Amino acid sequence: MIFKEYAMKNFLLVTTAVLFLSACGSSVKLDEVKVEDKTVTTPIVAAPETLPTPTPAPAALVAPVNTGSVSVRPVESVTADSPNSLSALGPQTTVPAISEPTAVQLPEAKVVTPEIQDAKQAAPEIVLPEPSATAPIVYFDYDSFEVRPEFQALIEVHATKINANKTTRVMIEGHTDERGGREYNLALGQKRAESVRQVLKLLGVVDSQMEAVSFGKEKPVSTGTSEDSMAKNRRAVINYR
Amino acid sequence: MYKLLSTFLAKFSFALQNWLFVSITLFAISAHAQFRVEVSGVGLTQLPIAVASFKGDDVSPQKISSIVISDLERSGLFRSIDVGGVVQDELSRPDMSSWRKKNVDAFLTGSISRLADGRYDVRCRLWDTVRGRDLGGQSHAVVVADLRLAAHRIADFVYEKLTGERSIFSTRIAYVTKSGGQSNLWVADADGENAQSALVSGEPIISPSWSPNGTQLAYVSFESRKPVVYVHDVATGKRRLIANFKGSNSAPSWSPDGKTLALTLSRDGGSQIYAVDATGGEPRRLAQSNSIDTEATFTSDGKSIYFVSDRGGSPQIYRMPASGGTAERVTFTGTYNISPRLSPDGRWLAFISRVNGAFKLHVMELETQQVTAITDTTADENPGFAPNSRLIIYATVHQGKEALMTTTLDGSFKTRLAGQNGDIREPDWGSFLK
């Protein structure tokens, strides 16, 4: 069989190659131990509150950092032996959670064809969650950042609200479902946020009152894998900050 | 000579693909829950090596021989032969003929002993059993915390002696885990073990990127409720906010000289690619389009940037000069190609391609433009090359759980890495430590 021949040939060739290599290696008399003496140090975790004392060792340290609200403060060192690092951490400041979209009763989206299609083929017939009267959420089709007509009225409501008060600032936050790469989805979420921003702009909202950012796929509201569930994540949220 | 063997092995692995009868077997090989996924048949292209239990392994806090075996096997170039519990130190000459009878080409012996000052003395010697030659050895005097590193150095020594190529076992990786609402940025050994936390946050962390000198990590943090880019000195924990412009800031990527970062910024509308000095400052726009441009990555000669753009209607990979300029399209198969990463030797491009809804790691040989899909999984993300260009690390979902995997470039040999608890993702492989 060809496979066996190849295998045998290769085995012989590898053996020959190893022989060549070993011929190039140094031959040492048994009682003269030729060893390379090396000092190695693992990159270590720096002590939490005090800076590590300078040593001649290669300074490949890892100092743990806990994000406070904005400022950064080292915490007690967490070693690999304590995987439940939550208990080992020092006083933990809670980062204010990003306000999730207002919990509303969304009508169940009917899934017509759950097949996942490539972008160029016909878009799957998935019914998006309907625009809510209260929640400032615009939903999007898969791979799309186009604001569908049924969401126009909702955006108008918020344009009016923002225009009514010059001190109001909104963050338009774009999101994607979990499919695909994180950075590309960050960019896609950005497109969604900017699409909504553009609609607001056409309705008279000034740039200084709004900022479009993206969370990509990092902040899903729904963790299921059904098309219905994923449709809830493809959204842009108008967040009053 | 050395080059001969390595290029031979590389070419042969690819050729062998055409004749492989593929079956996948799972082995649990150590208590660290690291297992390998091996495509059978490829074993015949691997160098058979036997590693004795080191004298003193049984009472050592780290079993040196096990770590060495795991390292060598993970490279895909070695097949470890079961020694049946044989213990042998570096002082005695092995019985060459009995090892040859077991079809073993190389034999590693060694010992671990305690020094008067409390440190451990780890020694090894490598034997060519075919020619009956002593290939030399090493000794490392280390504190207990550095025992794993000593084992990795020994594995490097064996790898380099027998392949003539630079070895990666004592390099480091970074990765992110998410558990409950908490994200953690870890710095670990190349085998995923020995992880130390560099950052803890209640908001997501993505896209860690090692600086070429291995001292800093750039990453995207959402801690201020929008994506911003930090450059973080791993040893001191000090970090600089390098990009906090209006809109989203993301996708940091270092130039090979460590002086510049390519970034994706939406400050001028849309995601576009900019360059900024690693010390901070005003960004320079590198490309102009009305579409999404992102995921810039430098070639290792620093002269070009590969990036993702959907200027053609859907995301594809392009190449432009590092200072910006006309972009040339690089990927032509499929409608969704993202996450380009180049091998340090300049020969390969790894990327993720969506095929029938599945996100799959592909490798392109740049000279021939031949593209190969190399995984069976369907949610692959974030590929990166080992600094010797011989392995790819990537994130995926394996048996329902997020996992980090390494694979040989032809996909023939894969290993799942050990890692911290929680959903694990976003790996980046550091360079050789200088």
Side-chain angles (χ1 to χ4, degrees), chain A residues 155-190:
Chain A
I155 301 175
E156 279 171 21
V157 164
H158 290 279
T160 308
K161 193 167 164 184
I162 299 164
N163 283 334
N165 186 345
K166 291 299 159 197
T167 62
T168 301
R169 282 208 76 229
V170 295
M171 201 73 124
I172 306 152
E173 299 165 356
H175 300 259
T176 67
D177 65 32
E178 51 133 32
R179 292 174 287 196
R182 284 176 205 278
E183 283 289 351
Y184 184 74
N185 275 336
L186 208 58
L188 180 56
Q190 185 67 29

Side-chain angles (χ1 to χ4, degrees), chain A residues 2-3 6-7 10-11 13-15 17-28 30 32-46 51 59-70 72 78-80 83-86 89 92 95-99 116-120 142-143 169 171 173 178-188 190-191 194 197 207-208 210-215 217-219 241, chain B residues 1-2 5 8 12 16 19-20 41 44-45 47-48 91 93 105 124-125 127-128 130-131 133-142 145-146 149-150 153 157 161-162 172 178 182 184 187 194-204 206-207 220 222-227 232 234-239 245-248 250-251 266 269-271 290-292 294-295 308 310 315 335-336 338 354 356-357 359 381 420-421 425-426:
Chain A
I2 294 176
F3 180 77
Y6 250 83
N10 177 61
F11 185 75
L13 275 161
V14 170
T15 316
V18 172
L19 286 177
F20 267 120
L21 284 175
S22 55
C24 301
S26 57
S27 63
V28 178
L30 192 59
E32 281 168 30
V33 178
K34 181 182 177 180
V35 288
E36 297 161 48
D37 202 7
K38 291 186 191 301
T39 332
V40 294
T41 46
T42 306
I44 59 171
V45 179
L51 289 175
L61 308 169
V62 180
V65 167
N66 189 330
T67 62
S69 47
V70 177
V72 159
V78 176
T79 65
N84 298 320
S85 52
L86 271 170
L89 288 174
Q92 196 165 25
V95 176
I98 294 170
S99 55
I116 299 168
Q117 309 263 355
D118 279 355
K120 283 226 168 98
Y142 186 51
D143 270 352
R169 282 208 76 229
M171 201 73 124
E173 299 165 356
E178 51 133 32
R179 292 174 287 196
R182 284 176 205 278
E183 283 289 351
Y184 184 74
N185 275 336
L186 208 58
L188 180 56
Q190 185 67 29
K191 280 267 194 182
E194 289 185 7
R197 182 179 68 182
D207 279 338
S208 58
M210 45 182 186
E211 185 175 353
V213 297
S214 174
F215 288 88
K217 65 178 197 174
E218 307 305 318
K219 297 288 242 178
R241 292 207 190 172
Chain B
M1 293 288 177
Y2 296 109
L5 176 63
F8 166 78
F12 193 87
L16 194 58
W19 285 274
L20 279 179
L44 292 162
T45 66
L47 195 150
L91 298 171
R93 185 185 175 83
D105 288 3
C124 76
R125 188 190 296 274
W127 298 92
D128 168 4
V130 180
R131 284 208 71 168
R133 291 199 160 205
D134 176 356
L135 297 179
Q138 289 198 320
S139 84
H140 301 279
V142 292
D146 296 330
L149 181 58
R153 292 274 190 221
F157 164 73
K161 264 287 189 234
L162 296 179
R172 298 200 291 182
K178 190 171 168 215
Q182 188 176 74
N184 225 308
V187 173
N194 206 20
Q196 300 165 85
S197 172
L199 182 73
V200 182
S201 177
E203 296 299 335
I206 65 170
S207 304
V220 182
F222 288 80
E223 67 199 71
S224 47
R225 304 203 295 168
K226 56 174 271 185
H232 185 126
V234 152
T236 62
K238 291 192 164 66
R239 55 185 194 159
F245 303 101
K246 190 171 187 190
S248 298
S250 72
S266 72
S271 300
N290 294 322
S291 54
I292 289 172
T294 186
E295 295 204 276
V308 175
D310 63 7
T335 57
Y336 184 109
I338 61 165
R354 187 175 68 193
N356 295 325
F359 297 91
E381 285 182 6
Q420 291 295 307
N421 293 327
R425 68 275 292 265
E426 299 293 275

